[in-house]
Amino acid sequence: ARVSGMLTLLVGADTRARVRDRAEHPQSLLIVEDHQVLRDRLARAFRDRGFDVRMASNFEEAVAAATEDSPELAVIDMRMPGEIRAAVEWAEANDEVHVIVVEGAGRAFCAGYDLRVLAEESPRAGPVDNPLQQERQPWDSMVDYAVMKRHTEDFMALWRSRKPTIAKVHGYAVAGGSDIALSCDLLVMADDAKIGYMPTRVWGCPTTAMWTFRLGPARAKQLMFTGDLITGAQAAEWGLANLAVPAAELDAATDRLARRIAGVPRSHLA
């Protein structure tokens, strides 16, 4: 969704990705723009890239539409990382966009990787018809490394972007979802939202390594050793989040910050 020089990416807007024998379908996108000609131009550009586009004429209408978009948790499937990267690249090429805001569709920012999809799909062959697929395609560490490296590079497109990126976190930003949030330049959280990387207790450290960079070694080690979650309020106290506000004020606080940044010339923001 784009709001006056601000592009909002809805993470995991299409929850049908978890249906086992699903048909191919586009990612959902909500475009907000009060100028009819530009709104139509944006819609055409994204539809050409395979997005299911809906439009709103103002921010309030967009919030209502996004709230209705998905009652489920936003999760990462095999396509989402590449779609995030493609959306960032599109935003960077669009002179009308000054700021990129990333938010989750549904009850959370992002709950991490969809383990059901990952269990039922092969990175090389796509969906499988045999639940005992590992007998035929056992786990391959090199394939896993290649896939996660590609996903990490896709998420880091948010960090490398020449235009500022803001993660707006409600509900949970956990596991791989925390990788997306911490790849953004700035982090705004609801004070009751939670962020953390629980899989460290089983599968090891996050692939982006942003926890140490953003939080410092002592507290990053504490969270990585334990797999504990912290709230938005604690994240702000620790300096991980830039802002933590009541959930009811999250949209307005993020919008104020994005609009403030959008008033700076793009050449100063790169």
Side-chain angles (χ1 to χ4, degrees), residues 90-258:
W90 179 90
E92 286 195 305
N94 189 328
D95 289 342
E96 296 294 325
V97 176
H98 285 221
V99 184
I100 301 171
V101 177
V102 184
E103 64 179 297
R107 294 184 287 113
F109 176 83
C110 183
Y113 282 88
D114 188 331
L115 299 183
R116 182 184 302 176
V117 167
L118 294 180
E120 296 178 354
E121 287 192 5
S122 162
R124 290 173 291 188
V128 297
D129 54 10
N130 179 7
L132 300 178
Q133 65 160 344
Q134 288 192 345
E135 294 180 1
R136 185 174 57 193
Q137 295 181 346
W139 179 77
D140 186 318
S141 60
M142 294 307 296
V143 171
D144 184 67
Y145 170 80
V147 170
M148 296 308 296
K149 182 176 186 294
R150 184 177 69 246
H151 289 181
T152 299
E153 291 173 349
D154 290 338
F155 295 151
M156 291 301 288
L158 292 161
W159 183 255
R160 294 190 302 268
S161 172
R162 295 187 303 275
K163 298 179 179 180
T165 55
I166 304 173
K168 181 172 76 173
V169 174
H170 71 290
Y172 291 86
V174 295
S178 68
D179 286 333
I180 298 174
L182 297 183
S183 293
C184 294
D185 294 310
L186 305 176
L187 178 60
V188 181
M189 297 183 67
D191 53 16
D192 62 349
K194 293 185 178 180
I195 187 169
Y197 200 89
M198 308 90 71
T200 191
R201 298 182 65 88
V202 180
W203 289 320
C205 64
T207 58
T208 59
M210 293 299 285
W211 284 94
T212 302
F213 183 79
R214 302 284 294 263
L215 194 54
R219 281 178 165 157
K221 285 180 180 180
Q222 177 183 335
L223 293 180
M224 295 303 101
F225 289 161
T226 63
D228 289 344
L229 305 181
I230 58 174
T231 64
Q234 189 172 2
E237 180 183 341
W238 282 13
L240 182 66
N242 298 88
L243 296 172
V245 297
E249 300 174 17
L250 181 61
D251 289 333
T254 307
D255 189 41
R256 282 195 302 271
L257 177 60

